[in-house]
Amino acid sequence: MLDFLGLVVFAIFTIMIVGAGLGVVLANRVTTSALLMAFTFLNMAGMFVLLGAETIAAFQVLIYVGAITVLILYGVMFTPQTPRAYGLFFQKQTPWGAVLAALAALPVIVVAFSFHDAKTVAPPGGDLNALAIAVFNSFAFPFEVASVLLLAAMVGAIVLVKRESPAAPPAAPLRRSEPPR
Amino acid sequence: MPVGPFGLDPLLWAIVRLLIAVVLVVALILNSSLLLIYLERKIQAVMQDRIGPYHTGPFGLLQTFADALKLIAKEDVRAGHTDVAFFIAAPALVFTPMLASYVVLPFAPPLVGADLNIGLLYLATLGSMGVLGIVIAGWASNNKYALVGGLRSAGQLISYEVPGILSLVTAVLVVGSLSMVKITETQTGPLVNLFVLPLAFATYLVSSLAETNRTPFDLPEAESELVAGYLTEYSGMRWGTMLALTEYGNVVVVCSIMTTLWLGGWNGPGVAALPILGVVWFTLKVYALILVFMWVRATLPRLRIDQLMSFCWKILIPTTLLNLAVTAVLLIAFPSTLVPVAIANWILLVAFIVLLPVVQQRRLRQLRKTLRARTAAAGVAS
């Protein structure tokens, strides 16, 4: 009975992920796409919970829903809200997009269906220790490489923001009657 | 066939249990927000030498009930150019993560929704999801005040999450578990974590004030500059859900985290004999912390947006990082005792409090100097 329930939940998550993913690509407005993307990430977190990897699920929601989607929305708010013209401009490339997506999906499908006799490995509850040991012992070097990469990206972002063009107009002078506090 | 409690099928019992829990939590949130709004008004009135609500019911106790009835009975108004779907979805997006947080709060030994192995991480995750609804609310309102409020809250909440989570990690290093129940069980004596990690408590208190949009960090809804921020276009029960229920529900969640991590959760005299007594201790501790929140609100003025950001990135995050590093090193150096950690933390706390005004004044002096130089340069140029 519980196995069957797990299967039903898995099916619901799958339908939600595929449906919301399609919505992300096909929706006309960026905001709709961003929200649907957050929804996809939430459902993927549900998949991780089904697999017994609660920690990964929590990190998935923390990073992708809580940070990245919010940053995307933050960017969307600075863009003008005239969706149709831009949308139609990009819509011309639909056939090419479909061909590329199919090419990328083919190997994934082949690999996915080659697993039909694989055994499911259930972690014995509480994957946090295993994850910590994996990250800081077995995969310490890749972890450090990833953090150096992130640091480089951060320094690059700061340099891009800090660079002042010589032709920039001087900042508006403060009026005498308003001393800075 | 296995039989669960009350002779029910376990599968059916799981669903019934879920329904009961959700109804209980919603009732708890509704009632505690009513009580907290009343307390907020009454306590602020006392601190400002006023009377506060006194007309409806004894001591004005029924005032918030009357307000809630008014909100529920109000017409559902929506301005013409708002974005329908997002406008309606935003209050739910703000409310749901807060509701889900109540699953892991440990009220008493026999009264825990679920003892998740990653309880604290789960709470941090849900805390980071609420900002999505606020940003959507600001965007969907199609109103510049609401948009600026939403943007501010996105920047503020993402920034203050960092010191908040770093403070939590410091406490978790000492306790050695992320499960809320296990964290509570490690602090049975009177020596709770507050005496071991006072600086982490202080930094978490500040960042949780910011994350729940409370004064002095209530910039997303600063009424003197932004009307009501992202709440401008909302009215009726949508407004009630977003402001009253969610804000006070979040305050309760954040204070419960602090109670569990630093004040020993349900532990208190008599709990060993009568476990349900833990609810009383837990509630008392949570409400003591909420009282501090209200006290801060009545005392401090609102910050400016650049002060808010520079305080977070230039002062709070370095402090929490230093605290985390020192705690980790001392825990590895002295694995058997917590005394060195406690001494280091108290020294760091004193240094933080003493140095904070000095650093801020130096920064202000430099800011003034650069601004004067710029003004002088502009004067020469023109």
Side-chain angles (χ1 to χ4, degrees):
Chain A
M1 189 63 187
L2 278 174
D3 283 351
F4 175 70
L5 201 69
L7 208 63
V8 169
V9 175
F10 178 78
I12 293 174
F13 280 143
T14 317
I15 293 167
M16 293 288 190
I17 289 176
V18 175
L22 274 177
V24 172
V25 182
L26 298 177
N28 268 334
R29 285 185 319 185
V30 196
T31 328
T32 319
S33 297
L35 263 192
L36 281 175
M37 196 174 77
F39 189 65
T40 319
F41 289 142
L42 274 179
N43 280 306
M44 281 164 76
M47 288 277 205
F48 285 126
V49 171
L50 271 187
L51 287 172
E54 297 110 1
T55 316
I56 310 271
F59 279 123
Q60 166 96 4
V61 176
L62 183 68
I63 293 166
Y64 285 98
V65 180
I68 287 185
T69 313
V70 172
L71 276 183
I72 288 175
L73 282 173
Y74 201 80
V76 167
M77 285 189 184
F78 288 114
T79 53
Q81 292 183 33
T82 48
R84 300 289 161 192
Y86 294 103
L88 283 180
F89 177 73
F90 286 112
Q91 294 296 316
K92 273 186 212 162
Q93 295 149 348
T94 307
W96 286 105
V99 168
L100 275 178
L103 278 180
L106 217 60
V108 176
I109 291 171
V110 168
V111 171
F113 278 92
S114 65
F115 275 117
H116 48 80
D117 278 337
K119 273 179 279 179
T120 48
V121 185
D127 50 336
L128 195 63
N129 288 336
L131 186 78
I133 289 167
V135 168
F136 292 107
N137 273 348
S138 325
F139 297 98
F141 184 68
F143 177 75
E144 288 301 322
V145 170
S147 54
V148 167
L149 196 70
L150 283 176
L151 184 68
M154 206 160 75
V155 171
I158 293 172
V159 167
L160 276 179
V161 172
K162 273 281 187 189
R163 191 171 55 190
E164 286 178 25
S165 54
L174 281 164
R175 266 176 285 151
R176 273 292 140 91
S177 57
E178 289 181 337
R181 259 164 289 145
Chain B
M1 191 172 156
V3 177
F6 308 117
L8 284 170
D9 185 34
L11 210 63
L12 198 64
W13 168 240
I15 297 169
V16 172
R17 187 167 167 254
L18 182 73
L19 280 178
I20 295 175
V22 169
V23 168
L24 274 180
V25 167
V26 170
L28 178 70
I29 292 171
L30 287 170
N31 286 315
S32 72
S33 336
L34 289 181
L35 183 62
L36 284 174
I37 293 172
Y38 171 76
L39 273 180
E40 174 112 60
R41 293 174 68 177
K42 208 69 179 172
I43 286 168
Q44 286 214 34
V46 169
M47 286 183 182
Q48 295 163 354
D49 208 6
R50 295 184 283 118
I51 297 176
Y54 74 101
H55 224 80
T56 327
F59 311 107
L61 264 170
L62 294 177
Q63 180 63 50
T64 43
F65 284 85
D67 289 346
L69 280 181
K70 185 206 77 174
L71 281 181
I72 292 170
K74 229 175 168 180
E75 186 193 350
D76 182 24
V77 182
R78 194 175 62 74
H81 286 272
T82 49
D83 211 306
V84 189
F86 293 131
F87 191 78
I88 294 172
L93 277 175
V94 182
F95 182 72
T96 326
M98 187 272 294
L99 185 69
S101 315
Y102 280 76
V103 169
V104 289
L105 297 187
F107 294 104
L111 204 67
V112 185
D115 178 20
L116 285 190
N117 199 20
I118 48 156
L120 205 58
L121 183 63
Y122 174 81
L123 283 173
T125 302
L126 290 172
S128 77
M129 269 175 71
V131 60
L132 196 64
I134 292 180
V135 174
I136 286 291
W139 185 82
S141 295
N142 201 4
N143 172 324
K144 59 186 169 193
Y145 297 116
L147 186 66
V148 173
L151 284 175
R152 273 188 184 182
S153 94
Q156 175 182 332
L157 297 194
I158 289 183
S159 307
Y160 275 88
E161 236 164 55
V162 180
I165 291 179
L166 284 175
S167 319
L168 289 183
V169 168
T170 315
V172 166
L173 275 184
V174 170
V175 176
S177 172
L178 282 173
S179 149
M180 299 293 269
V181 173
K182 275 193 194 127
I183 291 172
T184 313
E185 279 165 355
T186 53
Q187 314 171 49
T188 42
L191 273 176
V192 289
N193 273 344
L194 178 64
F195 301 112
V196 183
L197 294 167
L199 178 61
F201 179 75
T203 47
Y204 187 72
L205 184 74
V206 173
S207 47
S208 62
L209 275 173
E211 275 194 58
T212 47
N213 281 339
R214 302 273 306 180
T215 334
F217 303 109
D218 60 342
L219 282 143
E221 40 194 282
E223 68 269 7
S224 52
E225 14 183 330
L226 286 179
V227 190
Y230 60 92
L231 292 165
T232 306
E233 297 291 342
Y234 282 91
S235 63
M237 208 47 214
R238 288 196 213 294
W239 180 86
T241 312
M242 283 187 87
L243 182 78
L245 294 186
T246 310
E247 177 170 339
Y248 288 97
N250 266 330
V251 167
V252 171
V253 169
V254 160
C255 288
S256 307
I257 295 176
M258 278 191 272
T259 304
T260 312
L261 274 175
W262 281 283
L263 298 182
W266 67 58
N267 288 310
V271 172
L274 190 66
I276 203 71
L277 201 65
V279 180
V280 177
W281 289 115
F282 189 83
T283 316
L284 278 179
K285 287 170 183 174
V286 168
Y287 271 73
L289 284 172
I290 291 174
L291 201 67
V292 174
F293 273 43
M294 292 175 176
W295 179 18
V296 168
R297 177 167 179 169
T299 312
L300 293 176
R302 184 180 299 129
L303 288 179
R304 226 169 41 209
I305 184 79
D306 60 320
Q307 293 169 333
L308 177 94
M309 284 301 180
S310 69
F311 180 69
C312 178
W313 288 100
K314 293 180 183 166
I315 293 174
L316 216 49
I317 292 181
T319 313
T320 45
L321 270 176
L322 179 72
N323 192 12
L324 179 63
V326 168
T327 309
V329 167
L330 285 178
L331 276 177
I332 288 178
F334 306 94
S336 55
T337 170
L338 286 178
V339 176
V341 177
I343 294 172
N345 229 277
W346 278 103
I347 291 173
L348 279 175
L349 177 71
V350 172
F352 179 66
I353 294 173
V354 169
L355 287 180
L356 188 59
V358 179
V359 172
Q360 281 291 67
Q361 276 197 340
R362 212 175 129 234
R363 209 180 63 80
L364 270 182
R365 224 180 294 136
Q366 272 183 346
L367 193 67
R368 269 185 212 145
K369 211 190 273 171
T370 42
L371 283 177
R372 284 221 188 86
R374 206 181 283 171
T375 320
V380 167
S382 58

